[in-house]
Amino acid sequence: MERAALQVELGRVGEEHRQLHSRSSKRETDLNLAQVRLRDLDAHLNAKEAELATALSEKRSLEGDLQELKDQVVTLKLSLEDTKNHLHSEMLRRADLESQMKNLQEQMTFQKRLHEDELKETRRSHESRIAEIESGRQREFESKLSDALQGLRREHEEQIQGYKEELERTFSAKMENAQLAAARNSDFANAAREELMETKLRVDSLTAQLNQYQTQNSALENRIRELQETMDYDREMYRRRMVEKDKEMAQARQQVQAQLEEYEHLLDVKLALDLEINAYRKMLEGEEQRLKLSPSPSSHSVATQAISSQGRRFLRGKKRKIKESRRGEPSAYFKTIQHASSSGSVSIEDIDAEGKFVRLKNNSNEDQSLHGWVLRRQLGSLSDIMYKFPARFTLLSGQVVTIWGADAGINPSPTDLVWKSQKSWGTGDSIRVVLINSDGEETADRKVVQVPRGEDSGEQEDEFEEEIASSDIALQRQTKRRKKKCCLVS
């Protein structure tokens, strides 16, 4: 009955252990999912920060362009004011020239009148003199007077014509210069006005773009704040869940440890009871032999079976303890055996036991192109996987290259490679990696095997444990017999 109860209790404890193990594995899965989500949120936050930095740089460049355009507008306004002042001065000069021309015309009219008056007076004087002179001399003087008058008239007319032509040339030249200056100033003013309008339109468009970018920037800042709050909330929830899971795992470990201790105590009690039963059975057999009674044929077989079953249970418990201690300290009970071979210049130097990387080395004095070369991994009964080197990859003389898995969690150097399509090289008791060149020939090979320490002498260890168990049982039986005999003698 006690054995059945112990077996039932053992089954219940095993079931609880399996449930706790499944629950802890489920919580570890939830933890991994939370970590993946946290990494996604970090990547999204980095992308948003990069977009914000780009928007800020564009904003600064637009502000610089706006400031330049404002400076250009101020320059154009100043040039327009200068042009207006120049045009005003030209108009004033034109008015001065017109007033000078009017003054010259008035002077010319006044001199003409004076010449006409002088001519009339001269004519009157000549007429009076002619009237006084004799008729013969009158003709001569009239002819001379007419010639002199004609010469004077021609001279006056030539002078007046020269003055008129000079005034006309001066006026026409001034007018042309004023018209050309006015045309140039008007063209420049029109160009400045058009450029000012274009500048105003560009400033308006840039202002609209700046407002739009400011709106987008504020929206992005709001989004960043929301994402930051969400990330902080997720981090807090993740931390709380981690704390709760750590507490639950600690409680589960404590429960498992307590159950294991209780189970070991029950096994020890059961072993002691079996030893005591065997001792009493041996005492009963001794009494039967002493009293020369016929012993039951089944007693010896039952005792032998009990002892053998007792020894097997003792060995099972001991082996179970050894296995549990080996699980807790794998490095102390397992040794790694590596076998490597190379027929070419490139060799496989190392294979990570955790499946993070495979390391190659060029042992020759020449560079080796790995175009078309592949690495083939063999892991137990799993299907082989192949890693193909990049097309232009060359391994320099004496160089070492490391091919990392995608989930290695390191920052590779520029000379290393990353197998992006494969998370790791795999883990197991037996891993083999083969280097195959472009011709399909195997040039290098390395194999890593995990072997428990003392595996080669496993049968001897089992025999040694059985001898220890049988000697312990025999010693306890002899002790019980001696105590019983002492009691009978007394």
Side-chain angles (χ1 to χ4, degrees):
M1 292 298 290
E2 292 180 357
R3 181 177 180 181
L6 289 172
Q7 288 180 355
V8 171
E9 183 68 20
L10 179 61
R12 185 179 63 79
V13 170
E15 184 65 27
E16 290 180 356
H17 179 67
R18 285 193 295 272
Q19 290 179 0
L20 290 172
H21 182 69
S22 62
R23 191 182 303 170
S24 64
S25 62
K26 183 177 179 182
R27 289 175 179 172
E28 289 177 356
T29 305
D30 295 336
L31 177 61
N32 294 328
L33 291 175
Q35 290 177 351
V36 170
R37 184 179 179 188
L38 181 60
R39 287 196 294 271
D40 294 337
L41 290 174
D42 289 336
H44 190 63
L45 178 60
N46 292 329
K48 292 298 181 182
E49 288 179 352
E51 292 178 0
L52 177 60
T54 305
L56 290 174
S57 62
E58 291 179 356
K59 177 184 176 182
R60 287 193 293 270
S61 62
L62 289 173
E63 288 178 352
D65 295 338
L66 180 60
Q67 187 64 32
E68 291 178 359
L69 291 173
K70 286 182 178 179
D71 295 337
Q72 291 178 4
V73 168
V74 172
T75 306
L76 290 173
K77 286 182 178 179
L78 293 174
S79 61
L80 181 61
E81 290 293 332
D82 294 337
T83 305
K84 287 181 178 179
N85 294 328
H86 185 67
L87 181 61
H88 184 67
S89 63
E90 291 294 332
M91 291 177 69
L92 291 175
R93 289 177 62 187
R94 179 180 178 182
D96 293 336
L97 290 174
E98 289 178 352
S99 63
Q100 290 178 6
M101 186 178 67
K102 287 180 180 179
N103 293 327
L104 289 173
Q105 287 178 357
E106 290 177 356
Q107 289 177 5
M108 186 176 64
T109 305
F110 179 71
Q111 288 179 2
K112 185 177 180 180
R113 289 176 181 176
L114 288 176
H115 285 297
E116 288 178 355
D117 294 336
E118 290 177 357
L119 183 60
K120 289 177 180 180
E121 290 177 359
T122 305
R123 188 178 294 172
R124 283 194 300 270
S125 62
H126 281 293
E127 286 177 355
S128 63
R129 289 177 66 186
I130 288 170
E132 293 176 355
I133 299 171
E134 297 176 350
S135 60
R137 304 279 297 188
Q138 186 176 0
R139 293 188 187 91
E140 183 179 359
F141 284 117
E142 285 180 356
S143 60
K144 290 180 179 180
L145 182 60
S146 62
D147 293 334
L149 289 173
Q150 289 177 0
L152 290 172
R153 182 177 291 174
R154 283 194 300 272
E155 289 178 1
H156 286 296
E157 288 178 355
E158 289 176 359
Q159 289 179 358
I160 292 169
Q161 187 66 29
Y163 290 149
K164 186 183 292 185
E165 289 177 357
E166 185 178 359
L167 287 173
E168 288 178 355
R169 285 195 300 270
T170 304
F171 179 73
S172 61
K174 293 291 184 180
M175 285 296 294
E176 289 177 357
N177 292 330
Q179 288 177 357
L180 291 174
R184 285 195 302 269
N185 291 327
S186 62
D187 294 337
F188 186 73
N190 292 327
R193 192 179 293 108
E194 291 177 357
E195 189 173 359
L196 183 61
M197 293 297 293
E198 292 177 357
T199 305
K200 286 182 179 179
L201 293 175
R202 188 176 178 185
V203 167
D204 294 336
S205 63
L206 290 175
T207 305
Q209 291 180 2
L210 181 60
N211 293 328
Q212 184 179 1
Y213 285 137
Q214 288 177 354
T215 305
Q216 292 179 0
N217 187 15
S218 60
L220 289 174
E221 288 178 353
N222 294 328
R223 180 61 178 168
I224 288 170
R225 284 196 295 272
E226 292 177 358
L227 291 174
Q228 186 69 29
E229 292 176 356
T230 305
M231 188 177 68
D232 294 337
Y233 177 73
D234 292 337
R235 284 180 179 174
E236 184 66 23
M237 292 299 294
Y238 172 72
R239 187 184 63 79
R240 291 179 181 176
R241 290 177 181 175
M242 285 295 294
V243 171
E244 292 177 357
K245 288 181 180 179
D246 291 338
K247 291 180 179 179
E248 292 178 357
M249 290 178 68
Q251 292 177 359
R253 289 194 187 96
Q254 292 177 359
Q255 291 177 2
V256 170
Q257 186 66 27
Q259 291 175 358
L260 287 175
E261 292 177 356
E262 185 179 359
Y263 178 65
E264 291 176 358
H265 178 69
L266 291 174
L267 285 177
D268 295 336
V269 172
K270 185 175 183 298
L271 182 60
L273 291 174
D274 290 337
L275 291 174
E276 190 174 356
I277 291 170
N278 290 328
Y280 282 117
R281 185 177 288 109
K282 289 296 182 181
M283 290 172 61
L284 181 61
E285 290 176 357
E287 289 295 327
E288 289 178 351
Q289 291 177 1
R290 187 175 64 83
L291 298 174
K292 296 181 180 181
L293 298 175
S294 60
S296 60
S298 60
S299 61
H300 182 70
S301 60
V302 169
T304 304
Q305 292 176 0
I307 293 171
S308 62
S309 62
Q310 180 180 359
R312 284 195 296 272
R313 285 193 297 271
F314 179 78
L315 290 175
R316 288 195 197 100
K318 188 171 184 180
K319 289 180 181 179
R320 188 180 295 111
K321 292 179 181 178
I322 292 171
K323 289 181 181 178
E324 289 175 355
S325 62
R326 287 181 181 178
R327 290 193 194 100
E329 300 178 355
S331 60
Y333 291 94
F334 287 88
K335 62 181 179 180
T336 302
I337 301 174
Q338 295 193 13
H339 173 72
S341 63
S342 176
S343 61
S345 60
V346 182
S347 63
I348 302 175
E349 290 296 313
D350 190 12
I351 299 175
D352 185 37
E354 297 179 358
K356 292 183 178 180
F357 64 86
V358 171
R359 187 172 288 119
L360 306 181
K361 183 179 180 180
N362 186 1
N363 299 311
S364 65
N365 296 326
E366 298 179 356
D367 298 343
Q368 178 64 53
S369 176
L370 299 184
H371 172 65
W373 291 44
V374 295
L375 281 171
R376 182 176 65 194
R377 187 216 67 184
Q378 298 175 355
L379 181 59
S381 60
L382 299 177
S383 59
D384 297 347
I385 57 176
M386 312 284 280
Y387 171 75
K388 187 175 181 181
F389 287 90
R392 299 181 180 178
F393 183 76
T394 301
L395 189 60
L396 303 179
S397 174
Q399 183 183 0
V400 177
V401 63
T402 304
I403 301 97
W404 296 91
D407 288 349
I410 53 93
N411 293 323
S413 63
T415 59
D416 294 343
L417 300 174
V418 179
W419 196 356
K420 296 181 180 180
S421 61
Q422 190 71 21
K423 295 183 178 180
S424 69
W425 286 89
T427 57
D429 295 336
S430 177
I431 303 174
R432 185 188 180 199
V433 178
V434 182
L435 179 63
I436 303 173
N437 60 12
S438 57
D439 297 331
E441 300 175 355
E442 295 183 358
T443 61
D445 180 11
R446 179 173 284 271
K447 187 175 182 180
V448 178
V449 180
Q450 297 285 339
V451 179
R453 295 186 182 275
E455 184 179 4
D456 298 336
S457 59
E459 294 179 358
Q460 296 178 0
E461 290 178 358
D462 293 340
E463 292 176 358
F464 182 71
E465 290 173 356
E466 290 177 359
E467 290 176 359
I468 291 173
S470 61
S471 63
D472 290 339
I473 294 170
L475 181 61
Q476 291 178 2
R477 286 165 56 189
Q478 290 176 3
T479 304
K480 293 289 184 180
R481 287 179 182 177
R482 288 175 182 176
K483 290 182 179 179
K484 185 66 176 176
K485 287 180 179 180
C486 291
C487 294
L488 291 173
V489 170
S490 61

